[in-house]
Amino acid sequence: MASYKYKVLGFSRKFKMSEVGPPPDVKEAFSKFADGGDQMSADQLRRFKVEHQCEVDCTVSDAERFIQAFLRSRPHDTTTTTQQQQRHGLCLLDFFHFLFLDHLNGPIKSKVHHDMNAPLSHYFIYTGHNSYLTGNQLSSECSDAPVIKALQRGVRVIELDLWPNSTKDDVNVLHGRTLTAPVKLIRCLKSIKEHAFVKSPYPVIITLEDHLTHDLQAKVAEMVTQIFGEMLYYPQGECLAEFPSPESLKHRVVISTKPPKEYLETKHIKDKGSILTNGRESSEETSANGPEVDERSESDQDDEDVNVCDYKLVQRAAPKYKRLITIHAGKPKGSLKDALSVAGDEVKRLSLSEQELEKAATSHGTEVVRFTQRNLLRVYPKGTRVTSSNYKPHIGWMHGAQMVAFNMQGYGKSLWLMHGMFRANGDCGYVKKPDFLMQTGPHNEVFDPKRTLLVKKTLKVKVYMGDGWHLDFSQTHFDAFSPPDFYTKVRIVGVQADAIKKKTKIIEDDWTPVWDEEFTFALTVPELALLQIEVREYDVSEKDDFGGQTCLPVSEIRPGIRAVSLYNKKGEKLKSVRLLMRFQFV
């Protein structure tokens, strides 16, 4: 039995830390499935997993492997390998410890299980924004390090902003018109090639924010072709009528940017209100606060006085670059409603700032949903988020936006939600959109995000206990004078009707708190709901200390008694801290 000593005003206070036994529900489950015996066999464990944990595919062989894996994982197990092999069951304490192991009894499925053969437009895709920045949007260093880190986490869309170097003979990656120090494009591309598929075999999409002259575009085309070789996918024709599937693009790299004709280098342009950059129109994110939609009519744009010689020069150079672009992107011409039109056979990518999406959701919600059934919609943070903070992602997801782009270095609760969403489907970076976002009714109607829905599913969450803080934190990390006073916050993040917060009571002076409390959540859109779990340490005089968090996609949660690992504020898994919880759907 461990003990801790704390000093208060010169006096020593001693606190004992005893090992907590199984909760009543665990004892009851053991007794039921062990048929009242003192050991649970492999077949009995299989019955428990099938009937109580709803793991219907579990076999006796699977259960035997679980038992042997558990026995090998116990650090205090002093039995020999032969003795372990001779053991074929779990005692109550073994069963309790088995349930507390996240790698054997985690809350969500660990393998890809969604249909991966639909077009890319049918998936939410793990998307980064300004993927090369190490910190804030104005003065942080540009590097390939955050690109590598994002790929290692499973991010599938990497954004690179391309600018000429000072001598105009090479290409840098940086956040334009800021103090960010550049990194060479070739370094980023080589790092993408090396790390693209360490986490997931599904395609990496590189979105290029292009501020280059036509000769540098040609250089980029040569660079991309040489570095990626056979990994690079691009269509044979001009445009796609339908996007390929993630399955068909396994281990492939895809380029998405504006076609070169939208970057004509001209000497004579009549300014009709557009923002000009070195003789070219600004790219989709240059205007930080203004509308992202080009409100000029097509006829106004056609009237621009373009130098014919320059135009022909660009047209000769463009094909080398243009042919590599699989996903065509660009600023919409005309009104937003026109931009969301699904007329025509070609599919495309449209980018909107978070403010523009909010406006579109208010006035054109169903048009956005219809657009995203075949086309890609990318949403990016507003320009005033200079600290690399993020926004609420659910507006985008509720309207079918596939690429909800986040600052992956912008740590905070919004990023926790992004991490949580893409824990789904085996953490592969692609999550199949709910059917309701892809369906069309008998009168060609689509889902209306404003519609009031009935409760579809009810989730019951029971928080039994927590453990591991004494292993991952110093004795005085939470409180200098006594053990921590932990409580757990549980909330649903999703559509507004489903949002609700709950929290347990505070357990004082205990490194292994036992709450044994249950909460009920009625859900109208469980397909997009996230269960956010956060442990905090109560502090009477200051802000409560952070003790770990996780976020789970409700649609992926496995029923039963589960071990739930917690993560730090950056989303990095804590080595030992976990909760024992139960999930039930009614």
Side-chain angles (χ1 to χ4, degrees), residues 47-314:
R47 281 182 50 230
F48 166 77
K49 294 182 78 64
V50 170
E51 297 175 23
H52 192 280
Q53 307 288 86
C54 299
E55 297 176 35
V56 294
D57 296 328
C58 183
T59 65
V60 175
S61 297
D62 294 333
E64 183 63 40
R65 283 195 295 271
F66 282 131
I67 290 174
Q68 295 305 320
F70 164 74
L71 295 175
R72 288 192 298 269
S73 70
R74 293 191 66 177
H76 60 277
D77 194 342
T78 58
T79 58
T80 65
T81 302
T82 301
Q83 289 173 322
Q84 290 175 359
Q85 291 173 347
Q86 292 174 347
R87 292 181 62 181
H88 297 288
L90 303 174
C91 68
L92 173 59
L93 196 58
D94 288 338
F95 179 65
F96 171 49
H97 289 304
F98 166 79
L99 292 176
F100 229 141
L101 293 177
D102 64 320
H103 67 287
L104 297 178
N105 189 44
I108 59 176
K109 297 178 182 179
S110 59
K111 295 181 179 179
V112 174
H113 57 97
H114 294 180
D115 174 17
M116 302 302 287
N117 291 294
L120 291 175
S121 55
H122 290 221
Y123 300 84
F124 297 128
I125 310 173
Y126 207 172
T127 301
H129 174 255
N130 289 349
S131 304
Y132 50 86
L133 286 181
T134 57
N136 68 65
Q137 304 284 313
L138 298 180
S139 61
S140 67
E141 182 180 357
C142 301
S143 170
D144 63 332
V147 173
I148 294 170
K149 186 175 181 180
L151 292 169
Q152 290 173 337
R153 181 175 282 280
V155 173
R156 299 290 84 192
V157 182
I158 299 295
E159 183 188 32
L160 303 176
D161 286 15
L162 309 186
W163 294 82
N165 67 352
S166 57
T167 54
K168 311 295 184 185
D169 61 354
D170 202 359
V171 181
N172 283 336
V173 174
L174 74 154
H175 199 202
R177 299 180 184 82
T178 67
L179 300 177
T180 55
V183 59
K184 287 187 175 296
L185 171 62
I186 192 168
R187 181 174 175 179
C188 293
L189 296 179
K190 287 180 176 179
S191 292
I192 291 173
K193 179 183 180 181
E194 182 178 354
H195 298 276
F197 306 109
V198 295
K199 178 69 173 179
S200 168
Y202 292 100
V204 168
I205 301 170
I206 304 175
T207 59
L208 301 178
E209 190 71 35
D210 180 350
H211 304 267
L212 303 176
T213 56
H214 58 271
D215 55 332
L216 287 180
Q217 288 176 345
K219 184 167 185 173
V220 169
E222 182 179 358
M223 203 182 296
V224 166
T225 303
Q226 289 182 353
I227 290 173
F228 293 115
E230 293 298 316
M231 291 171 63
L232 187 66
Y233 171 86
Y234 51 92
Q236 299 303 313
E238 279 285 311
C239 294
L240 294 171
E242 183 178 70
F243 291 117
S245 71
E247 188 67 30
S248 70
L249 293 175
K250 269 186 171 180
H251 300 288
R252 305 297 292 271
V253 172
V254 175
I255 302 298
S256 176
T257 188
K258 293 180 180 180
K261 65 182 181 181
E262 297 192 24
Y263 285 103
L264 300 181
E265 177 128 353
T266 61
K267 295 180 181 178
H268 308 293
I269 295 180
K270 294 178 182 178
D271 184 1
K272 296 183 182 293
S274 63
I275 301 174
L276 301 181
T277 306
N278 296 331
R280 293 180 299 279
E281 284 191 36
S282 67
S283 62
E284 62 194 28
E285 293 185 34
T286 300
S287 179
N289 299 308
E292 309 305 326
V293 178
D294 189 345
E295 298 293 350
R296 295 174 298 157
S297 68
E298 241 181 289
S299 60
D300 287 339
Q301 295 180 54
D302 292 341
D303 287 341
E304 289 175 341
D305 184 13
V306 179
N307 182 284
V308 176
C309 294
D310 285 347
Y311 178 81
K312 290 180 179 178
L313 182 62
V314 176

Side-chain angles (χ1 to χ4, degrees), residues 394-567:
H394 273 84
I395 298 177
W397 292 333
M398 193 67 180
H399 288 79
Q402 298 86 352
M403 299 181 177
V404 178
F406 261 36
N407 294 306
M408 294 300 164
Q409 79 283 18
Y411 305 118
K413 291 189 177 182
S414 291
L415 190 57
W416 298 353
L417 301 179
M418 185 64 63
H419 292 165
M421 168 62 87
F422 288 99
R423 288 192 177 104
N425 198 27
D427 217 9
C428 76
Y430 286 82
V431 174
K432 192 77 157 52
K433 294 200 293 187
D435 290 341
F436 67 77
L437 286 172
M438 302 305 303
Q439 293 169 344
T440 302
H443 303 291
N444 201 34
E445 71 273 17
V446 297
F447 173 72
D448 183 357
K450 294 179 181 178
R451 188 175 62 197
T452 301
L453 302 173
L454 299 175
V455 171
K456 184 182 293 186
K457 188 176 291 187
T458 298
L459 171 64
K460 289 187 175 182
V461 177
K462 192 165 189 176
V463 187
Y464 291 117
M465 58 179 293
D467 195 12
W469 289 279
H470 65 289
L471 299 174
D472 291 352
F473 296 89
S474 69
Q475 178 178 329
T476 57
H477 177 87
F478 297 104
D479 195 319
F481 307 118
S482 66
D485 306 325
F486 287 127
Y487 66 93
T488 298
K489 298 166 66 176
V490 185
R491 69 168 180 150
I492 291 292
V493 182
V495 300
Q496 188 173 357
D498 294 346
I500 189 171
K501 299 179 181 179
K502 310 274 189 176
K503 67 178 180 179
T504 67
K505 58 183 175 289
I506 298 167
I507 303 298
E508 296 183 353
D509 299 334
D510 202 329
W511 283 98
T512 312
V514 176
W515 297 285
D516 203 27
E517 293 187 56
E518 186 172 74
F519 308 108
T520 300
F521 302 98
L523 305 172
T524 62
V525 188
E527 298 91 341
L528 295 180
L530 297 171
L531 179 68
Q532 189 176 60
I533 303 163
E534 183 180 359
V535 174
R536 301 197 73 88
E537 197 273 335
Y538 176 72
D539 195 316
V540 68
S541 59
E542 298 178 0
K543 184 178 179 180
D544 292 351
D545 293 319
F546 173 82
Q549 60 83 23
T550 192
C551 196
L552 305 174
V554 169
S555 62
E556 298 275 316
I557 290 177
R558 301 195 296 175
I561 300 171
R562 301 291 178 181
V564 179
S565 294
L566 298 187
Y567 299 76

Side-chain angles (χ1 to χ4, degrees), residues 345-369:
D345 296 329
E346 298 173 356
V347 290
K348 57 190 175 182
R349 190 198 93 201
L350 176 67
S351 288
L352 297 175
S353 70
E354 58 177 288
Q355 309 108 302
E356 287 298 307
L357 176 66
E358 289 175 2
K359 294 177 183 177
T362 300
S363 56
H364 304 292
T366 55
E367 286 97 329
V368 176
V369 172

